[in-house]
Amino acid sequence: MSSNNKNETDLRRLRAVDRAIADLRRGLSIIVTGPEETSLVLATEMAFDAELETLAERSGATPVLALTAHRANVLHIQPTGDDAVRVVIEDWMDAPLMRALADAVHDLDQPFRGPFTRIKESVPPTIPAAIKLAKLGRLLPSVLAAPLSPAKVGDLQNDFDLSVVSLDDILAFEEVAAVQLKRVASAKVPLQAAENCTFHAFRPKDGGIEHLAIVVGTPSARDPVLTRLHSECFTGDLIGSLKCDCGEQLRGALKAIGEEGGGVLLYLAQEGRGIGLINKLRAYKLQEQGFDTIDANERLGFDADERVFQPAAEMLKLLGFRNVRLMTNNPEKVEGLERHGIAVTERVAHKFPSNTHNELYLATKKKRSGHYL
């Protein structure tokens, strides 16, 4: 494939996935096509009885509820060995109940639910792909899905202007979006911790949220540059939440880089370890009920950490840096950068004292995520 053709294909993929994500967030159904099965899909979080009826009417088939294996395990639904589990929608299951089944915050409010009828056949790959779309849209990782005959795809697309996205487009999305990052703005912004700073904004071509790079001083690309990857945290960075150490890590990293005389802090649009602010608040609610940060994420149906580090690697390359001294206590960040072509010559410890509100959070990162704390 020529370079121009590949770029056109990549941009088409980004547009298709971006529109599908936006439509799921609007409460609209979308079409996910695969090599063997096509599915008409609706995000469970956005489903009401009218939308569920429309899903069944347009597909001409009976929808099922699809959950991640993590979430199904919490609901005591037997595993199938797949990443997703499908459940028969019984007559007694209405849309409000299914929304509650997707949202672990309601588990203690409605402890006696079920039994559920698990579909034992292998899960078609369009189902976990649709759940991935919901995750990319920062929605709860659950969908309502109905099989769709290929003959109906064109009619539904023409009659209702439904988004159509392929399995391959979804699976390729994160990599394509990362390598298509483009620097769109740069400006000097003096900071309290380091006055000689330049901010660079990088926008993905899918039109998603920009990532930022803060370059302190004029670090040489010939030497390993002191670097911090920082996932945005509205609660910790901006308003001083005591539930995490994110604000301290952000300000501490800028101070250390300033004292070093130069370096890079990447401010990544990956709120809540990649699950988004609203889902992070849901996880906080579960933590109030006694679950640690990992259990809370998994009860909601997410992995313990949904972040990807390829965007960070691509930003560093665009800035001219391929060797870093990485300020982190997270071994996954080291491995993630190296997997995408950035050499980590040194891991620089970066930790701060706990408080009474984040002691369990930090202990969980050390014990269960292998952080060096």
Side-chain angles (χ1 to χ4, degrees):
M1 183 184 297
S2 71
S3 177
N4 285 341
N5 286 341
K6 184 180 186 307
N7 284 337
E8 289 177 5
T9 298
D10 286 347
L11 290 175
R12 179 197 58 76
R13 283 180 157 176
L14 291 175
R15 287 194 298 268
V17 174
D18 180 59
R19 182 186 167 187
I21 290 170
D23 282 354
L24 283 180
R25 286 180 59 85
R26 294 185 183 104
L28 302 176
S29 54
I30 66 166
I31 299 169
V32 180
T33 63
E36 298 178 0
E37 179 170 319
T38 296
S39 297
L40 188 64
V41 172
L42 180 68
T44 306
E45 180 178 347
M46 306 301 293
F48 294 81
D49 287 326
E51 285 83 0
L52 185 55
E53 291 171 8
T54 300
L55 186 70
E57 178 184 327
R58 290 179 177 175
S59 66
T62 302
V64 299
L65 171 65
L67 305 159
T68 65
H70 285 309
R71 183 67 187 137
N73 179 61
V74 171
L75 295 171
H76 305 292
I77 300 169
Q78 291 297 314
T80 62
D82 294 303
D83 292 336
V85 174
R86 292 176 298 165
V87 175
V88 173
I89 298 176
E90 312 280 3
D91 291 341
W92 52 271
M93 295 169 63
D94 58 7
L97 174 63
M98 284 180 281
R99 293 197 305 276
L101 291 176
D103 189 350
V105 169
H106 301 290
D107 287 350
L108 298 185
D109 300 332
Q110 301 172 311
F112 303 109
R113 295 176 291 192
F116 302 103
T117 303
R118 172 178 57 92
I119 298 173
K120 297 180 180 179
E121 290 81 6
S122 295
V123 178
T126 51
I127 300 300
I131 291 175
K132 184 174 182 64
L133 277 180
K135 287 183 178 183
L136 290 169
R138 305 299 188 254
L139 297 169
L140 289 168
S142 172
V143 297
L144 297 161
L148 193 65
S149 68
K152 285 192 172 185
V153 172
D155 291 339
L156 288 178
Q157 188 178 19
N158 293 331
D159 293 345
F160 303 105
D161 192 29
L162 298 188
S163 297
V164 180
V165 62
S166 75
L167 170 67
D168 289 342
D169 291 345
I170 297 168
L171 297 181
F173 175 76
E174 287 176 319
E175 179 179 356
V176 171
V179 299
Q180 292 280 350
L181 278 172
K182 181 180 180 182
R183 185 165 17 177
V184 293
S186 299
K188 295 283 189 181
V189 182
L191 302 178
Q192 287 183 342
E195 291 189 22
N196 183 15
C197 289
T198 303
F199 278 46
H200 303 276
F202 293 83
R203 179 178 294 152
K205 285 194 176 180
D206 69 316
I209 301 172
E210 291 83 4
H211 303 287
L212 296 174
I214 302 173
V215 179
V216 178
T218 55
S220 170
R222 294 189 300 272
D223 302 314
V225 61
L226 184 61
T227 301
R228 165 74 184 163
L229 310 188
H230 189 88
S231 299
E232 67 179 352
C233 177
F234 168 79
T235 49
D237 297 342
L238 186 61
I239 56 178
S241 168
L242 298 176
K243 286 184 66 66
C244 62
D245 59 343
C246 300
E248 291 174 304
Q249 289 193 79
L250 173 63
R251 287 177 281 279
L254 288 169
K255 182 175 183 292
I257 293 171
E259 291 172 349
E260 179 87 2
V264 180
L265 185 141
L266 301 185
Y267 197 77
L268 304 167
Q270 298 176 335
E271 179 83 47
R273 296 183 186 167
I275 68 174
L277 178 58
I278 303 304
N279 288 320
K280 184 174 82 170
L281 293 178
R282 289 173 169 137
Y284 279 177
K285 183 65 176 179
L286 292 175
Q287 289 172 38
E288 291 176 18
Q289 298 171 6
F291 299 102
D292 68 31
T293 181
I294 291 178
D295 285 338
N297 278 20
E298 292 183 350
R299 287 187 73 88
L300 287 167
F302 294 99
D303 291 335
D305 193 333
E306 293 279 351
R307 289 176 294 182
V308 293
F309 298 111
Q310 188 171 3
E314 297 300 328
M315 291 166 69
L316 287 168
K317 293 173 189 176
L318 289 169
L319 290 168
F321 304 113
R322 289 184 174 268
N323 300 280
V324 301
R325 297 166 52 229
L326 188 63
M327 302 176 68
T328 187
N329 298 308
N330 183 354
E332 290 189 3
K333 287 185 179 180
V334 176
E335 191 275 334
L337 282 184
E338 291 186 331
R339 186 170 64 250
H340 296 295
I342 299 296
V344 180
T345 63
E346 179 187 358
R347 184 190 68 81
V348 179
H350 190 58
K351 60 183 179 181
F352 298 87
S354 63
N355 62 60
T356 56
H357 299 281
N358 68 15
E359 285 175 340
L360 177 60
Y361 167 78
L362 294 175
T364 300
K365 289 208 294 185
K366 179 178 180 179
K367 182 177 180 180
R368 300 191 62 186
S369 299
H371 283 58
Y372 302 110
L373 292 170

